[in-house]
Amino acid sequence: MIRILGFFVGLGFCGVLAYSLVIGAIAFMNEEEAAPTAYDYHHHAQDVSFSSDGPLGTFDRQQLQRGFQVFREVCAACHSLEYVAFRNLTDLGFSEAEVDAIADQWPIQVPSIDPQTGEDTTRPAVASDHFPLVYSNQRAGEAANNNAYPPDLSLMTKARGEGAAYLYSLLVGYEDAPADLPEELQPGTGLYYNSYFANLNLAMPPPLFEGQVSYADGTEASVAQMAHDVTAFLIWTAEPTMEARKSTGWAVLIFLIFATVLAFLSYKNIWRDEKH
Amino acid sequence: MSFPWAEQYTPKNPFMKWMDERLPLPRLVYNSVGAGYPVPRNLNYFWNFGVLAGLALVIQIVTGVILAMHYAANADIAFASVEHIMRNVNSGWLLRYLHANGASFFFLVVYIHIFRGLYYGSYKAPREMVWLLGLVIFLLMMATAFMGYVLPWGQMSFWATQVITGLFAAIPLVGESIQQWLLGGFAPDNAALNRFFSLHYLLPFVIAGCIILHIWALHLPGSSNPTGIDVKGPQDTLPFHPYYTAKDGFGVGIFLILLAIMTFFAPNYLGHADNYIEANPLSTPAHIVPEWYFWPFYAILRAFTVDFILPAKLWGVLAMFASILLLFFLPWLDKSPVRSGKFRPKFKIWFWVLIADIALLGYLGGAPAEEPYVMLSQIGSIYYFAHFLIILPLISRTERPSPLPNSITEAVLGKDTTAAQPAAAE
């Protein structure tokens, strides 16, 4: 009985699927060739490597400091870094005094309450504060940026499919729209063509130009160099515990391999007289 | 329990003697996984995966309980609390990555465990109840994993809630009301997040309870084995401890090595980047995809594209649930008296076609819903249903199995030696 019922249920599902398949196939064959879409002009991220890549990769402190400088002088005008605290910057090799100074002189102050009047006010940041938000709310951010809210950058390298490579490519990927680009894909007012961005038209103006920052360590501030540095910095902001993760990983792995070899030997020893 | 030659528990230590007369817990353990449980001597490595699944559940419960001490189930701060765990809690990143990757490994070993059962006919008499309880555990795991995925309140979490509860909206007449009742509102929000957190914490303990029943039901007939034939006597079995504890110990080592490689060196490989963006009801991700372990079922759901009497969405929902529920009837769909696929020439071929088909469906479930993926998933889904409901009942009727060995011992030692052995023993 179960088998007869099952047979009919199976036939029912297979029948409907086969019917859908035929209709789909006919539609597929009759389909006209589609007009070019953003997808056809979209580029995958460039092949770019970072010192933090791979199971042995670590952060290059010098580069992180340069990247932080780019963030502070270029990106921080519009983008926030919500999940990172000033105190975390000691990871980059800054001393506590330097971190205190960075927090104190940060251009945006932290919302606070006046202890005398109870009114809303602001105060300079301290090391334990997170990086203050640039805009008081999302609508304010949109109003200031042609209706596009500048996203928070704390997790950016983890929040995009191609990760850090995508971010780097986007920063260096501004160019003039190709001549054969269809009218509807042309960048509108206040938009910029960037073939690494999914719909090609990005509201963020090209943020980097040659020699924009002057690096303390004398590194030449080319666009590619700055993009690479700031991306490395954002890899760190997305996962400041990465180095601990990898070094713990090696210790755990060495222990587990040793323990597994012992387990295998004791297994062989216990079974040596038993055929199986 | 199980076989009359099972070793008996005899407490030596006076405290254990005292304990055994009042609460015989040590006896229970001894008879479950100790020397008191005789197991066929010919189990291969596929029989490791039950223990590995149990270990995976323990890892999930331990890491999950500690994560819950730091997580905040509130739609406003859930995402930030996960970042707090990652950045500020001591080794919080380890707990969270272990928990997330542990879920994937749990499903991986359970899938291998299920395929083992399918190939070696572990679902057949007298072990039907083991199979049924196993499927109940699988369903609970799916519910738990889904609700756990919602908790970080990222973009995928939010839209997965929308999509999965939306499946219930496909039910005619009452569907919309059911979706609202499940969510506690018109769209995923704090109410949904709170109840999902509560259930995500509850269900693993229900799973643990079902595992006890699963093992109980297994220990009455005893474990199956790769030949699929019954144990004939003491020479066919070995005590679980130390033989299988040692063998499982090695398997556990390999499992932990693979889990560690994933957790420490590629922790986000199996996840989706969109879940690192905080949930935003006003912006839909480009592709909404579930975690990899749901992909085959997601492909079946999306394979139905044409309204035929019922709306296409309802067909998809029915088929997706049916694809799991039909497994409950498997012991009665496959009537072949031979258990192990090893001795079933036709079954063996179709079994591997099924594995390839499920792998294909898995790939398609992760692909975007466009041609040619939709057509391929329609073909894949046709085979899935045809395999269980049409092909399997037919082969169990028409197939001629190859000759079975006379006993497990004979299969292990070869014919000549077994022929000599009983004579020598008598």
Side-chain angles (χ1 to χ4, degrees):
Chain A
M1 191 62 193
I2 285 177
R3 268 164 289 163
I4 294 168
L5 278 177
F7 183 79
F8 284 110
V9 171
L11 225 51
F13 281 127
C14 291
V16 175
L17 280 165
Y19 178 65
S20 305
L21 183 63
V22 170
I23 290 190
I26 292 169
F28 189 59
M29 279 187 290
N30 295 338
E31 200 175 275
E32 286 171 34
E33 202 168 316
T37 58
Y39 184 81
D40 299 315
Y41 293 88
H42 180 249
H43 285 149
H44 284 287
Q46 294 176 18
D47 205 11
V48 51
S49 61
F50 294 91
S51 66
S52 52
D53 290 348
L56 287 168
T58 53
F59 292 120
D60 173 353
R61 295 299 187 285
Q62 207 58 37
Q63 186 181 29
L64 293 190
Q65 293 198 12
R66 290 199 302 272
F68 172 63
Q69 189 183 347
V70 176
F71 173 77
R72 181 173 57 182
E73 294 178 21
V74 183
C75 317
C78 307
H79 291 279
S80 56
L81 210 54
E82 208 183 332
Y83 298 109
V84 185
F86 286 104
R87 63 183 162 81
N88 299 137
L89 292 175
T90 50
D91 277 10
L92 266 51
F94 290 116
S95 69
E96 286 190 18
E98 284 172 312
V99 169
D100 285 343
I102 290 170
D104 190 57
Q105 286 150 28
W106 197 254
I108 302 157
Q109 295 204 323
V110 178
S112 181
I113 291 170
D114 188 310
Q116 306 301 325
T117 64
E119 283 171 353
D120 289 342
T121 177
T122 59
R123 60 166 170 82
V126 295
S128 61
D129 282 317
H130 283 209
F131 281 82
L133 297 178
V134 182
Y135 304 101
S136 50
N137 56 56
Q138 185 171 341
R139 189 69 205 105
E142 286 168 356
N145 291 283
N146 197 21
N147 274 328
Y149 183 68
D152 186 80
L153 294 183
S154 326
L155 284 163
M156 203 38 104
T157 55
K158 287 208 282 191
R160 293 293 179 270
E162 290 166 318
Y166 165 80
L167 226 61
Y168 172 82
S169 307
L170 196 77
L171 288 172
V172 299
Y174 286 91
E175 58 193 357
D176 293 330
D180 62 339
L181 192 70
E183 185 61 34
E184 63 275 15
L185 296 177
Q186 295 281 354
T189 330
L191 295 175
Y192 303 85
Y193 186 81
N194 194 321
S195 59
Y196 298 100
F197 191 64
N199 74 2
L200 306 180
N201 296 308
L202 186 53
M204 174 168 75
L208 300 170
F209 51 87
E210 297 290 322
Q212 193 172 7
V213 301
S214 46
Y215 284 134
D217 61 358
T219 309
E220 194 201 332
S222 65
V223 170
Q225 180 68 42
M226 288 186 289
H228 199 260
D229 290 346
V230 78
T231 307
F233 171 71
L234 292 175
I235 295 174
W236 172 81
T237 63
E239 200 180 349
T241 54
M242 188 200 74
E243 286 175 336
R245 161 161 71 78
K246 288 175 184 171
S247 58
T248 313
W250 283 109
V252 169
L253 214 52
I254 289 165
F255 167 77
L256 281 177
I257 289 169
F258 178 69
T260 306
V261 168
L262 287 186
F264 182 74
L265 293 176
S266 71
Y267 157 52
K268 282 293 167 199
N269 187 36
I270 283 165
W271 280 78
R272 72 185 179 280
D273 295 331
E274 295 294 344
K275 281 248 167 70
H276 63 291
Chain B
M1 174 141 80
S2 67
F3 304 115
W5 58 88
E7 288 177 34
Q8 292 304 310
Y9 178 69
T10 40
K12 293 191 185 74
N13 177 310
F15 171 74
M16 294 306 251
K17 217 171 256 172
W18 182 89
M19 183 75 175
D20 192 49
E21 283 158 13
R22 284 154 186 87
L23 182 67
L25 264 184
R27 178 179 292 272
L28 179 75
V29 173
Y30 185 89
N31 289 337
S32 305
V33 290
Y37 182 53
V39 190
R41 62 194 307 141
N42 60 335
L43 302 191
N44 59 31
Y45 280 107
F46 284 109
W47 266 261
N48 264 195
F49 285 86
V51 164
L52 296 183
L55 173 70
L57 178 70
V58 170
I59 292 175
Q60 290 308 92
I61 290 181
V62 171
T63 55
V65 165
I66 305 173
L67 283 171
M69 296 174 187
H70 302 278
Y71 170 77
N74 180 309
D76 291 334
I77 52 172
F79 187 83
S81 78
V82 172
E83 276 311 306
H84 162 69
I85 290 170
M86 292 295 288
R87 290 158 195 268
N88 301 328
V89 173
N90 292 331
S91 298
W93 55 269
L94 174 58
L95 290 170
R96 190 211 165 195
Y97 279 156
L98 254 187
H99 197 72
N101 287 290
S104 277
F105 273 74
F106 195 2
F107 273 94
L108 182 71
V109 296
V110 162
Y111 278 134
I112 297 175
H113 191 62
I114 293 174
F115 288 140
R116 191 284 315 271
L118 277 177
Y119 185 76
Y120 291 111
S122 302
Y123 52 85
K124 292 186 180 181
R127 297 183 187 81
E128 297 99 322
M129 193 51 81
V130 185
W131 176 255
L132 300 181
L133 285 165
L135 288 172
V136 170
I137 294 170
F138 179 53
L139 284 174
L140 286 168
M141 276 176 66
M142 294 177 94
T144 310
F146 159 65
M147 287 189 276
Y149 192 53
V150 172
L151 302 185
W153 213 237
Q155 271 289 67
M156 275 295 165
S157 302
F158 181 91
W159 291 95
T161 318
Q162 186 77 288
V163 170
I164 302 298
T165 57
L167 297 180
F168 294 91
I171 301 168
L173 303 175
V174 292
E176 296 271 318
S177 311
I178 289 179
Q179 187 190 5
Q180 284 170 21
W181 175 71
L182 287 172
L183 287 174
F186 299 104
D189 207 339
N190 208 39
L193 179 62
N194 267 288
R195 66 184 59 179
F196 281 15
F197 177 60
S198 168
L199 293 173
H200 183 68
Y201 207 122
L202 168 70
L203 290 184
F205 299 98
V206 181
I207 292 178
C210 287
I211 288 175
I212 290 172
L213 298 180
H214 186 66
I215 296 173
W216 187 3
L218 169 72
H219 281 213
L220 293 180
S223 300
S224 182
N225 68 87
T227 63
I229 56 175
D230 291 327
V231 168
K232 301 274 182 349
Q235 73 284 0
D236 288 344
T237 64
L238 291 170
F240 192 93
H241 179 77
Y243 290 97
Y244 284 106
T245 39
K247 194 173 184 177
D248 287 339
F250 174 56
V252 163
I254 299 292
F255 170 81
L256 290 178
I257 287 175
L258 296 175
L259 177 60
I261 290 174
M262 214 57 205
T263 304
F264 289 108
F265 302 118
N268 294 310
Y269 182 75
L270 295 169
H272 198 289
D274 279 34
N275 230 24
Y276 279 109
I277 305 171
E278 190 169 2
N280 181 354
L282 300 178
S283 139
T284 321
H287 305 298
I288 301 176
V289 285
E291 292 276 81
W292 69 268
Y293 37 79
F294 292 140
W295 284 354
F297 306 103
Y298 198 55
I300 291 175
L301 172 75
R302 292 193 302 183
F304 290 83
T305 51
V306 176
D307 297 338
F308 178 77
I309 307 173
L310 301 173
K313 189 180 176 190
L314 183 56
W315 273 111
V317 173
L318 286 175
M320 190 186 69
F321 285 113
S323 69
I324 300 165
L325 295 181
L326 68 84
L327 296 175
F328 280 92
F329 299 96
L330 193 59
W332 298 277
L333 287 169
D334 177 8
K335 282 310 274 185
S336 170
V338 176
R339 283 196 202 105
S340 173
K342 209 168 162 184
F343 304 104
R344 301 181 60 189
K346 282 187 192 161
F347 170 87
K348 205 189 281 187
I349 297 165
W350 293 110
F351 173 82
W352 289 112
V353 177
L354 176 73
I355 297 294
D357 182 60
I358 292 174
L360 173 74
L361 283 173
Y363 170 74
L364 297 167
E370 55 194 40
E371 299 300 353
Y373 305 121
V374 176
M375 281 188 207
L376 284 173
S377 55
Q378 284 162 345
I379 296 168
S381 307
I382 288 176
Y383 183 76
Y384 184 90
F385 288 107
H387 177 92
F388 286 108
L389 296 171
I390 299 167
I391 297 171
L392 213 52
L394 283 181
I395 35 179
S396 60
R397 207 172 267 218
T398 58
E399 175 180 62
R400 248 184 89 191
S402 41
L404 294 168
N406 289 317
S407 74
I408 292 174
T409 315
E410 184 193 290
V412 172
L413 298 174
K415 276 187 200 313
D416 297 333
T417 37
T418 9
Q421 244 188 1
E426 275 155 14

